[in-house]
Amino acid sequence: MAVAGAGTSGRRESSPAGVLERCRELVRPALVDAVGRLHPWTGEMAAYALGWADTAGQPDPGGSEGKGVRQALAVLGAEAVGAEGADAVPGAVAVELVHTFSLLHDDIMDADTLRRQRPAVWKAYGTGPAVLTGDALLAQAVAGLAETQGRHTAAAVRLLCRTLNALVSGQAQDLRFEHRPWSGPGAVVPEQYRSMAEHKTGSLLGCAIALGAVLGGAPDGTVTALDRAGRHLGLAFQAVDDILGIWGDPAVTGKPVHADLRQGKKTYPVLAALAGGGRAARELGALLDSGPRIDGGTAEHIAALVDEAGGRSATREEARRHLDTARRALLEAPLRHTAARELDQLFTQLLDRTW
């Protein structure tokens, strides 16, 4: 199997960081072209969202493109089934555009003012322009994939559209959870949380790997196994996100500490802590049920109680279980050894991340 994007030496860099960089270099020209097809104004905001430019439209050395996980998963999905990484580029562009669209809209809905250590698009340009840019990215993602030449295009577009419906469903669940009580008949339980996380986060990671496999001509059974691996990776990814949302370093995550707590989000560490029983869990429940405004001091106390009640350790174990399930799903499919190993290494890095 030829290795796309391996460089002139032919040596393939298999460390997680090297894999992400190799895939980014492969996908970047097509991603730039896709953004260039947008209206100049929305294109400018998209370039800002992607970390390529500042608000004046000039190259921004301090901007962050993110890790490019989803586009890498698409490329590896194709390589794992014996295709060229280049075959997955249209799918990689589509999932990267969808991911960026979701971040723009999520920041508005969650009132998050920072993204990757810069003002969120809605803070930099305004709410209306940010919504419009998200819409433009979504439209370009679907259109770009639909315009791909090849016999697998229709299946790829159907997969992407199913994923978009799942994303909306997950986001709807997440928003509704904020208005449900912490205890009693209407309380959110861990299984409902998992359903939300699978839709909101897992669906796009599963789609990314599966799109690469679809565009690479893999049989349905292999596509299904890779999609399942990506969905469980997404559940692990979201669990780690929840940990970072409470205890992460803002200088690394690019988001304010305790933001999820102040917004009253039903994240796994808090739900697990409440379910654990004990003094800290009872104090935590009484504090959350009292309904005061959660300021900085209150959020810090809540975070300490969640940790004492076992919420952080339970969430870490939750992430580990889903990572193990994702790895087992990889073993169910007949994959090329090198790409399968790179997927496994990337999965592990995502569990151990601090960003």
Side-chain angles (χ1 to χ4, degrees):
M1 177 181 65
V3 178
T8 56
S9 68
R11 182 178 63 85
R12 180 162 177 157
E13 175 58 68
S14 61
S15 71
V19 169
L20 290 171
E21 181 60 28
R22 174 177 67 83
C23 295
R24 185 183 295 110
E25 290 178 359
L26 177 64
V27 176
R28 178 67 179 271
L31 187 58
V32 171
D33 180 69
V35 172
R37 293 172 182 268
L38 304 178
H39 183 279
W41 189 37
T42 56
E44 175 189 318
M45 289 182 278
Y48 176 83
L50 287 161
W52 300 346
D54 58 21
T55 53
Q58 299 301 309
D60 185 1
S64 171
E65 297 184 52
K67 298 297 182 181
V69 170
R70 290 154 190 83
Q71 56 186 288
L73 290 175
V75 171
L76 292 176
E79 293 177 348
V81 300
E84 298 282 350
D87 294 335
V89 166
V93 170
V95 294
E96 193 67 21
L97 294 179
V98 167
H99 177 55
T100 306
F101 136 75
S102 72
L103 296 182
L104 264 66
H105 284 197
D106 281 0
D107 285 344
I108 294 168
M109 287 182 273
D110 294 341
D112 283 338
T113 59
L114 291 176
R115 170 67 62 181
R116 296 172 183 162
Q117 302 177 353
R118 297 195 303 173
V121 174
W122 72 274
K123 289 297 290 183
Y125 290 91
T127 301
V131 171
L132 184 64
T133 301
D135 293 344
L137 289 167
L138 175 58
Q140 181 57 41
V142 178
L145 187 58
E147 292 165 2
T148 301
Q149 299 297 315
R151 59 192 179 91
H152 306 299
T153 297
V157 172
R158 286 195 296 270
L159 173 58
L160 183 65
C161 289
R162 288 197 301 271
T163 301
L164 292 172
N165 281 326
L167 279 172
V168 171
S169 176
Q171 183 65 15
Q173 288 175 288
D174 194 27
L175 289 175
R176 292 292 298 274
F177 284 175
E178 293 180 26
H179 302 286
R180 289 172 58 175
W182 288 102
S183 60
V188 178
V189 298
E191 192 55 42
Q192 292 171 324
Y193 169 91
R194 291 187 188 99
S195 172
M196 178 276 295
E198 181 178 352
H199 285 85
K200 181 179 177 180
T201 304
S203 63
L204 188 57
L205 291 176
C207 175
I209 309 179
L211 268 180
V214 168
L215 292 170
D220 290 345
T222 300
V223 172
T224 298
L226 289 174
D227 178 74
R228 183 163 62 254
R231 285 174 177 270
H232 282 282
L233 174 64
L235 284 162
F237 192 97
Q238 185 61 56
V240 175
D241 243 18
D242 287 353
I243 292 173
L244 296 175
I246 299 177
W247 297 284
D249 181 356
V252 178
T253 65
K255 298 184 70 174
V257 70
H258 299 153
D260 288 348
L261 294 178
R262 287 194 292 270
Q263 292 167 11
K265 280 190 170 294
K266 306 298 191 295
T267 61
Y268 195 88
V270 182
L271 296 177
L274 290 171
R279 184 205 59 80
R282 290 192 297 272
E283 182 180 347
L284 174 63
L287 183 59
L288 292 171
D289 284 337
S290 65
R293 174 180 171 79
I294 300 179
D295 55 22
T298 305
E300 187 172 349
H301 183 49
I302 289 174
L305 288 172
V306 171
D307 199 7
E308 184 181 346
R312 178 162 23 182
S313 59
T315 305
R316 190 71 184 172
E317 180 57 30
E318 173 83 355
R320 178 65 62 185
R321 283 196 302 272
H322 285 293
L323 175 63
D324 290 344
T325 303
R327 282 174 163 161
R328 286 196 297 271
L330 289 180
L331 294 174
E332 293 174 9
L335 305 180
R336 293 293 178 96
H337 174 71
T338 300
R341 186 185 71 244
E342 289 175 344
L343 280 169
D344 186 79
Q345 291 173 338
L346 186 57
F347 282 17
T348 300
Q349 186 198 48
L350 295 180
L351 182 70
D352 296 334
R353 67 196 171 92
T354 58
W355 38 271

